[in-house]
Every structure is written in C-alpha cells, then in structure tokens.
Amino acid sequence: MTTPAAADPGPPLGAWERRRLRGIERGLRTTGTRVRLVLCLGVDAVALALLAAGIFLALPWLFAGCVVGNLAVCLHFERRSPHHRAKGNPWPK
C-alpha cells in the first residue's frame, strides 16, 4: 500500500525553518489579547464619540476625532512581529 502524496511529510525541516516557525507560533499565542482588544475597542469608541460631536456640535471636535481615529488605526495595525522593516529582513539568506 502506498502513502498518498498529501500525507507525505516531506524532508525534515532545517534549523532556521524550525526557529522561524516557533517565532510565528509565539506571535499567534493568545497572551494579553483580551487587554489589547479592550484597549482597541475603547479607543474606537472615543474616536466615534468625538467624530459625532464634531459633526453635531463644533468643528474642533471633528479634528480631535480624526486624530484619535488615526491612533485607533495604528493600534489595530501595530506590528506584532519582532522583525520590523526598520530592523532588517527576517528571512535568512
């Protein structure tokens, strides 16, 4: 009986591949995500409240809402990886 190609594990991983996969796995763990979620939702709520106040009350509140909205976007898209573009290429040669 032969093993299907999809079940074939292939050659063993190299050391750098194992390190890279462990780093990705650490980034996917759910440590501190609840606090981060509450923080992001809080900043989103403040941004929406300021935008609504700016539309209905005064224009300076709209500007403040846009600033807080940009901060909320930055919080949502914050890089979780230790390798950032400014630090160099995370892939080995």
Side-chain angles (χ1 to χ4, degrees):
M1 180 190 244
T2 61
T3 304
D8 184 21
L13 296 176
W16 70 270
E17 292 170 318
R18 286 193 304 273
R19 282 193 306 271
R20 181 70 181 149
L21 288 174
R22 270 196 304 267
I24 292 171
E25 181 185 354
R26 265 185 299 212
L28 293 176
R29 290 190 188 142
T30 59
T31 56
T33 55
R34 186 173 303 250
V35 173
R36 182 172 169 75
L37 177 65
V38 170
L39 176 68
C40 286
L41 290 177
V43 173
D44 289 342
V46 169
L48 289 174
L50 287 172
L51 288 173
I55 291 171
F56 296 113
L57 296 177
L59 207 50
W61 291 101
L62 185 64
F63 175 73
C66 290
V67 171
V68 174
N70 284 330
L71 177 66
V73 169
C74 291
L75 281 175
H76 282 290
F77 291 126
E78 182 182 12
R79 306 241 327 123
R80 295 179 189 187
S81 171
H83 301 287
H84 194 267
R85 287 183 192 214
K87 294 182 181 176
N89 187 4
W91 297 102
K93 293 183 179 181

